[in-house]
């Protein structure tokens, strides 16, 4: 029996949903309509996601010229800021992307049906109507032809509140968190790290508001506008770094100030572009969909806390080994995450396309799109592995001249290179799950993965030291991929149609 238009050869494998992942694998790089759609969404999203880590790497390169202690201090602070930020920003941008994509897809379907029923009558009542199981709102047009996007207003209000709360939290608890991360009261790292973290936290509201705006653009399948804004903002960061760090002699504080300025610049550009196309003020308070955001946000909050817990524990264990292991770990972790985030652009494309397909109940496109982005993820991961293996020796010298730090970095690079296909799949599986609005499974599976991985971190770091931390992080990413395979491979949850 056919499901959603899936062809008969595919239906013969209906009882083996795992085979979906291998569907049309010979066409993985085919330049067809789906391939073009993935590239048009994924490539700008990838470049946008890469821009901030690249800017952070350039920050790290400048700071590395000051000294190993400064590099380690900033490393701990960046790790803390990033982990706290991920707790709020990933749920916000992921939920906004899915909700806006659903609203956009349903609006187009509704308009098409109205055109069929009404014919040439353009005086159609565009009031909000219930959707089929995935949302109760849709996108309409205002009198000045701007879009009314119900999820956009909610996302921006929530982003503003979360940003302010994050700033207050980091400023008030900076010293205590640094102590927890292994920076002792008599450590030369403490004062530098605390000052950097405090200054960097002032940019949290801009970051959260920018991410909310990016979620709206992604849901509308426009990833170019965020890319342009991020390029301008991060370029300003890179230009300000040498001026503030060396010319004005502000040191690591100058790097923090440059980053904050760049984040507010990105926010202003995104809001300016958003206001031109979207009505941000809802006509009534009831249009603010806080209930929907909180329900799905809770699930993703659990997932993100679980994920960040692993990274935080790993960073803490590295910091306890001393400034030089921490400096090496910080640089390598940034390279590891920066290269892996290339696959996150694929995840964004997969999420937007799948959210639209699920809203329309177009199961044929759901299967084709999911398999394609996962297959491209494997290809991308293999390519990154070869590139990193080739440039590892050269890349390490860009960040420091310290012999001990370089030695530890050279130990890390094999792990970074080999795990790229695994990391790519882990990120893309997240996008696939978000596109299916499978937030509950994402949360529950990640809790189990995190508990197992943190146990491995403590056990392996105590027995193998610095190397043990990287082995445990490799196990962490492998378990994330297994969780994604398990859901689709067994045809459970939103993927139950694969067993029909």
């Amino acid at each position: 029996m056919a499901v959603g238009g899936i062809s008969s050869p595919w239906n013969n494998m209906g009882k083996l949903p795992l085979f979906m992942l291998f569907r049309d694998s010979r066409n993985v790089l085919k330049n067809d309509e789906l391939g073009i759609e993935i590239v048009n969404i994924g490539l700008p999203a990838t470049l946008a996601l890469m821009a901030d880590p690249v800017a952070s790497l350039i920050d790290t390169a400048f700071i590395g010229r000051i000294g190993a202690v400064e590099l380690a201090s900033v490393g701990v602070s960046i790790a803390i800021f990033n982990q706290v930020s991920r707790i709020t920003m990933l749920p916000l941008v992921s939920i906004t992307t899915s909700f806006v994509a659903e609203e956009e897809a349903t609006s187009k379907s509704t308009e098409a049906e109205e055109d069929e029923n009404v014919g040439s009558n353009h005086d159609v009542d565009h009031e909000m109507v219930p959707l089929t199981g995935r949302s109760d709102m849709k996108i309409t047009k205002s009198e000045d032809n701007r879009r009314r996007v119900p999820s956009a207003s909610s996302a921006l209000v929530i982003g503003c509140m979360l940003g302010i709360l994050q700033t207050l939290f980091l400023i008030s608890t900076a010293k205590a968190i640094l102590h927890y991360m292994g920076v002792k009261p008599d450590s030369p790292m403490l004062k530098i790290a605390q000052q950097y973290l405090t200054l960097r936290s002032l940019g949290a509201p801009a970051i959260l508001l920018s991410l909310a705006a990016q979620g709206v653009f992604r849901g509308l399948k426009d990833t170019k506008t965020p890319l342009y804004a991020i390029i301008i903002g991060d370029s300003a960061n890179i230009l300000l770094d040498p001026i503030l760090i060396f010319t004005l002699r502000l040191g690591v504080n100058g790097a923090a100030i440059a980053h904050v300025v760049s984040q507010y610049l990105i926010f202003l550009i995104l809001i300016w572009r958003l206001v031109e196309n979207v009505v941000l003020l809802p006509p009534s308070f009831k249009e603010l969909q806080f209930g929907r955001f909180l329900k799905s946000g809770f699930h993703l909050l659990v997932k993100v806390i679980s994920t960040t817990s692993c990274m935080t524990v790993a960073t803490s264990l590295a910091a306890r080994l001393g400034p030089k292991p921490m400096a090496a770990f910080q640089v390598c972790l940034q390279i590891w995450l920066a290269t892996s985030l290339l696959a996150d652009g694929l995840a964004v494309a997969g999420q937007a396309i799948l959210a639209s397909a699920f809203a329309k109940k177009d199961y044929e496109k759901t299967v084709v799109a999911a398999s394609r982005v996962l297959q491209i993820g494997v290809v991308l991961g293999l390519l990154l592995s070869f590139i990193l293996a080739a440039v590892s020796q050269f890349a390490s010298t860009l960040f420091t001249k310290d012999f001990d730090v370089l030695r530890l970095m050279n130990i890390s690079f094999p792990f970074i290179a080999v795990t790229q296909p695994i990391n790519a799949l882990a990120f893309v599986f997240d996008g696939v799950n978000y596109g299916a609005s499978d937030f509950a499974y994402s949360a529950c599976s990640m809790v189990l993965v995190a508990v197992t991985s943190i146990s491995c971190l403590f056990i392996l770091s105590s027995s193998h030291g610095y190397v043990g931390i990287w082995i445990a992080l490799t196990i962490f990413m492998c378990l994330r991929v297994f969780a994604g395979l398990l859901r689709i491979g067994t045809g459970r949850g939103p993927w139950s149609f694969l067993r029909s």
Side-chain angles (χ1 to χ4, degrees):
M1 181 178 73
V3 178
I6 299 177
S7 58
S8 56
W10 174 243
N11 291 325
N12 294 332
M13 298 186 219
K15 294 183 179 180
L16 293 171
L18 185 62
F19 279 97
M20 183 205 84
L21 304 176
F22 304 98
R23 181 177 179 176
D24 298 328
S25 57
R26 71 180 74 179
N27 299 325
V28 59
L29 300 178
K30 186 176 180 181
N31 190 29
D32 55 8
E33 183 180 352
L34 177 60
I36 293 171
E37 185 177 16
I38 291 172
V39 170
N40 286 340
I41 300 173
L43 183 58
T46 298
L47 295 174
L49 288 165
M50 283 294 297
D52 189 62
V54 168
S56 293
L57 283 173
I58 294 173
D59 279 351
T60 303
F62 279 122
I63 294 166
R65 300 297 173 181
I66 302 175
V69 173
E70 286 78 7
L71 182 60
S73 302
V74 171
V76 176
S77 297
I78 289 176
I80 292 170
F81 184 85
N82 287 344
Q83 302 310 330
V84 173
S85 295
R86 287 191 184 100
I87 292 174
T88 51
M89 71 184 189
L90 288 182
L92 180 63
V93 71
S94 297
I95 292 169
T96 304
T97 300
S98 289
F99 286 0
V100 173
E102 291 168 14
E103 291 166 356
E104 173 80 344
T106 309
S107 296
K108 288 182 177 179
S109 297
T110 304
E111 288 171 5
E113 292 174 3
E114 289 172 344
D115 287 341
E116 291 179 2
N117 295 331
V118 181
S120 60
N121 180 13
H122 297 286
D123 297 323
V124 178
D125 185 8
H126 287 286
E127 293 181 0
M128 302 299 177
V129 295
L131 306 186
T132 54
R134 292 176 63 81
S135 173
D136 59 353
M137 306 291 278
K138 71 182 182 72
I139 296 174
T140 59
K141 294 288 184 69
S142 65
E143 292 181 358
D144 58 0
N145 211 35
R146 289 187 297 165
R147 297 180 181 184
R148 293 191 185 276
V149 185
S151 296
S153 303
S154 307
L156 290 169
V157 172
I158 293 172
C160 182
M161 293 188 296
L162 289 176
I164 294 171
L165 288 174
Q166 183 178 319
T167 297
L168 296 175
F169 171 76
L170 286 173
I171 291 175
S172 61
T173 62
K175 191 171 184 178
I177 296 175
L178 286 166
H179 178 68
Y180 170 78
M181 292 292 289
V183 181
K184 298 179 180 179
D186 58 347
S187 172
M189 296 166 54
L190 180 61
K191 183 178 179 181
I192 299 171
Q194 186 175 354
Q195 288 178 346
Y196 183 90
L197 181 58
T198 300
L199 287 171
R200 183 79 176 260
S201 67
L202 297 176
I207 292 173
L208 270 295
L209 283 166
S210 298
L211 286 165
Q214 286 184 53
V216 177
F217 282 115
R218 288 180 184 180
L220 298 173
K221 297 183 180 180
D222 174 10
T223 52
K224 292 181 180 179
T225 299
L227 171 62
Y228 298 147
I230 291 169
I231 288 175
I232 293 171
D234 284 344
S235 297
N237 183 17
I238 294 168
L239 291 173
L240 286 172
D241 266 341
I243 297 172
L244 297 177
I245 294 173
F246 301 113
T247 305
L248 298 181
R249 300 179 182 273
L250 295 177
V252 296
N253 292 337
I257 294 169
H259 196 87
V260 170
V261 170
S262 72
Q263 293 303 322
Y264 278 97
L265 180 58
I266 292 169
F267 160 66
L268 291 174
I269 294 171
L270 286 174
I271 292 298
W272 167 55
R273 293 295 298 163
L274 200 58
V275 168
E276 289 185 342
N277 300 286
V278 175
V279 178
L280 296 182
L281 292 177
S284 64
F285 182 80
K286 65 181 181 180
E287 277 200 18
L288 294 175
Q289 306 170 60
F290 293 137
R292 292 184 66 214
F293 272 84
L294 291 175
K295 182 180 178 180
S296 299
F298 173 76
H299 291 137
L300 278 188
L301 183 62
V302 172
K303 174 185 170 61
V304 172
I305 289 174
S306 300
T307 305
T308 55
S309 295
C310 292
M311 295 299 178
T312 302
V313 169
T315 304
S316 176
L317 292 171
R320 293 173 191 277
L321 296 175
K324 293 187 177 182
M326 180 59 216
F329 181 80
Q330 162 61 16
V331 174
C332 291
L333 185 64
Q334 285 198 43
I335 294 172
W336 195 54
L337 294 176
T339 52
S340 298
L341 282 174
L342 281 168
D344 217 12
L346 271 178
V348 171
Q351 180 184 359
I353 294 169
L354 286 171
S356 177
F358 269 108
K360 297 175 182 177
K361 295 188 177 181
D362 184 351
Y363 295 128
E364 168 67 10
K365 187 167 185 179
T366 298
V367 170
V368 174
S371 59
R372 182 74 68 87
V373 293
L374 288 166
Q375 291 164 10
I376 295 173
V378 174
V379 174
L380 177 61
L382 290 171
L383 179 62
L384 288 172
S385 291
F386 286 117
I387 293 173
L388 286 170
V391 305
S392 60
Q393 293 296 322
F394 167 75
S396 58
T397 58
L398 294 175
F399 300 98
T400 183
K401 298 297 183 182
D402 188 286
F403 175 79
D404 292 328
V405 175
L406 286 172
R407 179 180 60 83
L408 290 170
M409 287 176 65
N410 289 332
I411 292 173
S412 307
F413 271 116
F415 291 99
I416 297 172
V418 170
T419 56
Q420 288 307 308
I422 301 168
N423 295 357
L425 274 177
F427 280 103
V428 176
F429 266 122
D430 283 345
V432 169
N433 284 331
Y434 298 160
S437 290
D438 202 5
F439 300 122
Y441 176 78
S442 294
C444 295
S445 62
M446 186 55 70
V447 170
L448 295 176
V449 169
V451 170
T452 305
S453 302
I454 290 172
S455 299
C456 291
L457 276 167
F458 282 111
I459 293 170
L460 293 172
S461 65
S462 63
S463 60
H464 293 80
Y466 183 81
V467 174
I469 295 174
W470 283 103
I471 295 174
L473 288 176
T474 302
I475 293 172
F476 169 61
M477 299 306 291
C478 288
L479 291 175
R480 289 181 64 177
V481 173
F482 175 76
L485 285 170
L486 186 65
R487 188 63 159 179
I488 295 178
T490 57
R492 303 293 178 183
W495 302 98
S496 60
F497 69 87
L498 292 172
R499 295 184 287 113
S500 301

